[in-house]
Amino acid sequence: MRLQASLGVADARHQTEEGQAEYMAWLTADARAALAEEEGAATDRDLRRFLILVIGKLILGTRRDPVSCRCLPLLEDLTRVGSYAWGVALLAHLFDSLGTSSRETGVAGFFPLLHVWAYCHLPSLGRGMPRRAGAVPLLQRWRFCRDEGSLWRQVTLIHDALDTVPFGHVQWTPYVGEDDATQPWVERGRPYFGRDIWLHCFNTVVPLHHQLVAWTLGLHQAVVVFPTQQRSWERPGRSFRGIQQVTDWAVRVREQLDDWERRGKEVVSEATSDEDYFRAYALRYGAQVYKGTRRPLDPEGWISSLEGILHSTIQQ
């Protein structure tokens, strides 16, 4: 509220039948007018408040109300804030939080990113209506359908839809043909695409195994074997998060930082078909993927189904 008051928009309300673009236009104009009247120190303070709000509650938000102050050191020099890889930090934070999210409480971080991902990769869910093809940001390409049903009902429908998405209804290459001219950040990031790489977000360092989604690159997927024991570079458990105050992470994860500077490792595949990958995936993860659902687990049946789909795809 103090931030809104300092920007002169504390009493701003979205008017009935007023478009989002119109609302944002006059809201921005009012805020700029209020900032123009302030002196340097006050404007600087308001900017820092705004960045803390955006970073702490939107980009790196949690499922709780308090805003973490871990980003404060990054705001000491405001001229450098725009040069940090906030998108990568968001991916690391979101990816790290997914493993602790329950089916009821949602996720941490910028969850509209998951909406966009689902609209691009899982079009059969039908949760958004296409509106503007090619619009940037991507979120503007869909019109959201407000659901008046209870939250429990909405979540149940989404669970059922995800459990029954046909294999062929997954769009593996949603960004083929995308134009970089209107998305300069995509062009700058292309050297990192298609690579296994480490994602860094404050005291969290997580691996992004791109070979697990080799289909996005049009490659056959080879069987990936992960180590079962924790290694020295892996991040500590959640009960040890406090050690970032006494740990020099630039030393502890030096190998991962060097890997980031080298732009990771390019993903290639020597597999001649996906059959081995499907079989290994069904045997290893089948019981976990379908645990708690209403469908009984039939590993052999799913393997046969995947083999049939693979054969059909090869024929096509």
Side-chain angles (χ1 to χ4, degrees):
M1 292 303 298
R2 293 189 63 180
L3 172 63
Q4 292 177 346
S6 66
L7 294 177
V9 294
D11 298 325
R13 295 293 182 270
H14 197 289
Q15 304 298 322
T16 304
E17 298 183 356
E18 181 181 33
Q20 188 69 20
E22 297 174 324
Y23 172 69
M24 290 302 300
W26 68 261
L27 199 67
T28 302
D30 288 352
R32 285 177 173 169
L35 286 174
E37 296 176 358
E38 293 185 346
E39 298 181 358
T43 303
D44 182 83
R45 182 175 62 252
D46 287 340
L47 177 58
R48 293 177 190 274
R49 288 175 179 170
F50 176 75
L51 289 175
I52 291 174
L53 180 67
V54 171
I55 297 171
K57 290 298 293 180
L58 184 65
I59 298 180
L60 305 178
T62 64
R63 293 185 297 277
R64 298 178 299 157
D65 290 335
V67 176
S68 173
C69 294
R70 57 183 176 174
C71 63
L72 286 179
L74 299 180
L75 302 182
E76 292 183 23
D77 185 357
L78 293 178
T79 63
R80 300 184 59 188
V81 174
S83 65
Y84 297 134
W86 292 108
V88 176
L90 167 61
L91 286 178
H93 176 69
L94 188 62
F95 186 54
D96 180 61
S97 301
L98 285 175
T100 59
S101 299
S102 70
R103 293 169 70 95
E104 292 79 18
T105 59
V107 298
F110 187 59
F111 63 86
L113 177 66
L114 289 181
H115 292 174
V116 173
W117 184 90
Y119 294 165
C120 288
H121 289 270
L122 306 171
S124 63
L125 288 181
R127 302 300 297 180
M129 301 297 295
R131 180 176 61 173
R132 297 168 55 194
V136 178
L138 299 183
L139 199 63
Q140 295 183 359
R141 299 184 181 185
W142 295 274
R143 181 176 66 253
F144 307 118
C145 304
R146 185 174 181 85
D147 194 333
E148 300 295 341
S150 66
L151 179 60
W152 178 86
R153 176 62 176 169
Q154 294 180 45
V155 173
T156 300
L157 291 175
I158 294 175
H159 288 169
D160 292 342
L162 289 174
D163 286 342
T164 57
V165 169
F167 180 83
H169 286 204
V170 178
Q171 180 69 18
W172 291 102
T173 54
Y175 303 112
V176 170
E178 288 283 347
D179 181 17
D180 290 352
T182 57
Q183 305 177 83
W185 51 87
V186 176
E187 184 177 6
R188 290 195 299 268
R190 284 206 179 275
Y192 298 94
F193 292 178
R195 292 171 175 266
D196 285 340
I197 201 166
W198 293 89
L199 302 180
H200 307 264
C201 177
F202 298 101
N203 64 311
T204 300
V205 181
V206 294
L208 180 64
H209 296 293
H210 199 67
Q211 70 260 32
L212 290 178
V213 288
W215 271 16
T216 303
L217 307 177
L219 302 175
H220 289 297
Q221 301 204 146
V223 177
V224 181
V225 179
F226 294 101
T228 56
Q229 295 182 347
Q230 190 179 54
R231 294 183 288 185
S232 59
W233 45 259
E234 292 184 323
R235 64 181 180 85
R238 307 190 77 82
S239 60
F240 295 96
R241 288 300 180 93
I243 66 174
Q244 70 265 26
Q245 303 297 334
V246 295
T247 300
D248 187 347
W249 290 94
V251 174
R252 177 162 180 169
V253 296
R254 183 71 261 167
E255 178 185 350
Q256 287 68 52
L257 290 173
D258 291 341
D259 183 74
W260 171 261
E261 296 294 338
R262 294 192 300 266
R263 295 174 175 171
K265 181 179 179 180
E266 185 177 3
V267 174
V268 295
S269 177
E270 298 178 355
T272 57
S273 73
D274 299 312
E275 183 177 358
D276 292 336
Y277 173 82
F278 288 149
R279 183 178 296 273
Y281 182 90
L283 289 176
R284 179 177 179 84
Y285 297 107
Q288 299 177 32
V289 172
Y290 297 107
K291 181 180 180 181
T293 66
R294 289 172 290 280
R295 294 187 295 177
L297 174 65
D298 179 14
E300 290 301 326
W302 278 103
I303 292 174
S304 299
S305 175
L306 291 171
E307 289 176 343
I309 294 172
L310 173 63
H311 179 73
S312 175
T313 303
I314 293 175
Q315 295 301 317
Q316 292 177 12

